[in-house]
Amino acid sequence: MRVLMTGGYGCIGSWVTMQLIEGGHEVAILDLRRDTHRLELLLDSEQLERVRFIPGDVTDPSLVREAAEQFGATQLLHLAALQVPLCRADPIKGALVNVVGTLAVFETARALKDQISRVVYASSAAVHGPGVPDGAPLADEVRLTPMTHYGAYKVCNELNARVYWLDHGISSIALRPWTVYGVGRDFGMTSEPTKAIKAVAAGRNYAISYGGLQDLQYVGDVAAAFVRALDAPFEGADAFNVRGDVVSIETFVSTFESVVPDAKGRVTHGSNQLPIAPSLDESRLQAQLGPLPRTSLDQGIAETYQRFSSLREQGRLDLSDL
C-alpha cells in the first residue's frame, strides 16, 4: 500500500505509521508542518527516514489532490481533526478543519478514483449521546445524538461519506474510537488516563477530572483496526464502533495500582460521567474486519507504563502536558 495520511503526527497516526512501516508499506504524511515528536517515541531513525512529509493544508482540496497524485497514493487515511476543546472554543474553525477538510479528502478520492481504492477516516464515539439508562451497548446504527460540536462534525462526515458512495462509488470506512490510551496520547478530553500513567512513571501524582464508566482502548489495537480497514475486502460506505474495556475510572485506577504498585495512592478521580455512551457494540466491525486484536486493560497499562519509564530513563519523557 501507498498510504497518504492526514493527522499522521497525532497519537493514533503515529502508531498507524509505525505499523505500516513495519508491514513494509509506504507512508506520506500531509500536514501544515513537520512535527515528529510523537513518531520519535515509536520509530528509530532509519524507520523515520522512510516516512515522507508533504507540507499542505487539509482544507485546501487542490493541495490534497496534488499530494495524492505526487505520492501515488493507493489509499487515503484521514485522521486530521481539531479535538473537543478547540471545537468548543472556535466552532467555525472546528468545522473548517473537521468537515471541510474531510470533504477535501473525499474530493481527492473522487478526482483520482482510478488511483485510490478507498478512504478510511476517523469518526468518534462522540457521535453518540449519553446512551440508554440501562447502560446496554449501543449499536452502530442507532440514532446519533452528539452533545458537542466535535461529535456533530463527525456525524456530518459520516453522512457525506455515504453520499460520496451513492453519487460516485467512493468506498469508505469510518471507525469510532472512544478513550484511546497509550504513549503519544497527550491531548484531548479523554487523554487523562494516559496522563495519569505518565505522571506515575515520572514520580508524580495525578487527578483525573471525571469518573463513571469509560471504554478504554489501547492505541496499538486502534491503530491495527485502521490498518486493517485500509485493505480488507470492502465496498460501500459504513461507520463502525470500536470497543475496548468498558470499566469505571475507579476500576482503571485499581487495575493500574495492581499492575504498578508504585501507583498506589497516586491517582485520584472525579465522579462526573462524560456525556458519551460508555458502552458501544462493535459486533459489526468484528464481522466485517475481524478478528481484531484486543489488548487487555492490565496488559495495556503495563506496556504504556513500561514505555514511559523507558523514556524517563533515556531523559526523553516530555511532561509538558501534565
Side-chain angles (χ1 to χ4, degrees):
M1 295 186 289
R2 295 178 65 86
V3 180
L4 176 64
M5 191 186 325
T6 72
Y9 293 133
C11 176
I12 295 174
S14 295
W15 282 78
V16 169
T17 298
M18 177 181 69
Q19 293 184 13
L20 287 172
I21 292 294
E22 290 177 346
H25 304 291
E26 297 183 58
V27 181
I29 294 175
L30 175 71
D31 212 320
L32 290 171
R33 64 184 184 277
R34 191 173 189 269
D35 180 3
T36 61
H37 77 275
R38 295 184 185 91
L39 282 172
E40 290 168 4
L41 302 176
L42 305 172
L43 302 179
D44 61 32
S45 58
E46 181 180 347
Q47 291 173 317
L48 198 58
E49 285 296 318
R50 293 172 55 190
V51 182
R52 180 174 172 183
F53 168 58
I54 302 176
D57 187 340
V58 72
T59 67
D60 186 331
S62 62
L63 286 178
V64 179
R65 175 176 174 174
E66 181 181 351
E69 286 180 314
Q70 289 181 354
F71 181 60
T74 55
Q75 285 96 343
L76 301 178
L77 177 55
H78 177 47
L79 303 177
L82 297 184
Q83 297 297 313
V84 172
L86 295 178
C87 291
R88 180 183 296 117
D90 192 340
I92 293 176
K93 185 176 181 180
L96 182 64
V97 174
N98 291 9
V99 177
V100 174
T102 303
L103 290 171
V105 169
F106 273 91
E107 279 296 291
T108 295
R110 182 174 72 88
L112 304 177
K113 189 175 179 181
D114 293 337
Q115 173 185 318
I116 293 170
S117 63
R118 181 176 306 168
V119 176
V120 176
Y121 65 101
S123 185
S124 170
V127 300
H128 295 291
V132 292
D134 64 2
L138 290 184
D140 294 325
E141 297 170 310
V142 299
R143 179 173 177 265
L144 302 179
T145 56
M147 297 184 69
T148 61
H149 288 300
Y150 173 80
Y153 301 147
K154 295 296 188 179
V155 173
C156 182
N157 292 341
E158 291 185 11
L159 295 175
N160 278 326
R162 181 172 182 270
V163 174
Y164 274 97
W165 166 249
L166 294 173
D167 286 356
H168 308 293
I170 304 301
S171 285
S172 64
I173 294 176
L175 300 183
R176 298 168 174 166
W178 218 118
T179 296
V180 178
Y181 72 96
V183 169
R185 183 73 203 280
D186 52 25
F187 186 76
M189 183 174 67
T190 56
S191 62
E192 294 187 31
T194 299
K195 291 177 179 178
I197 300 172
K198 179 191 281 190
V200 172
R204 298 187 181 185
N205 297 340
Y206 192 85
I208 298 174
S209 64
Y210 55 85
L213 289 174
Q214 196 160 50
D215 187 347
L216 292 154
Q217 302 168 358
Y218 185 56
V219 63
D221 297 347
V222 176
F226 276 105
V227 172
R228 181 78 60 84
L230 286 167
D231 67 350
F234 179 82
E235 284 191 351
D238 213 338
F240 299 98
N241 295 332
V242 179
R243 186 181 176 93
D245 286 284
V246 179
V247 299
S248 67
I249 293 298
E250 182 179 12
T251 297
F252 164 76
V253 172
S254 63
T255 303
F256 186 16
E257 292 178 343
S258 68
V259 172
V260 181
D262 286 348
K264 187 72 173 178
R266 287 190 171 272
V267 179
T268 58
H269 61 87
S271 59
N272 292 335
Q273 175 73 48
L274 294 178
I276 302 172
S279 181
L280 304 180
D281 181 353
E282 69 162 5
S283 57
R284 290 180 62 252
L285 174 65
Q286 291 290 348
Q288 182 68 57
L289 302 181
L292 292 168
R294 174 72 61 79
T295 300
S296 66
L297 181 60
D298 55 352
Q299 182 182 354
I301 290 173
E303 290 183 7
T304 302
Y305 180 78
Q306 289 163 6
R307 282 180 176 269
F308 280 140
S309 297
S310 177
L311 289 168
R312 180 202 64 211
E313 292 168 2
Q314 298 168 36
R316 298 172 55 216
L317 186 61
D318 181 6
L319 302 177
S320 62
D321 58 314
L322 297 182

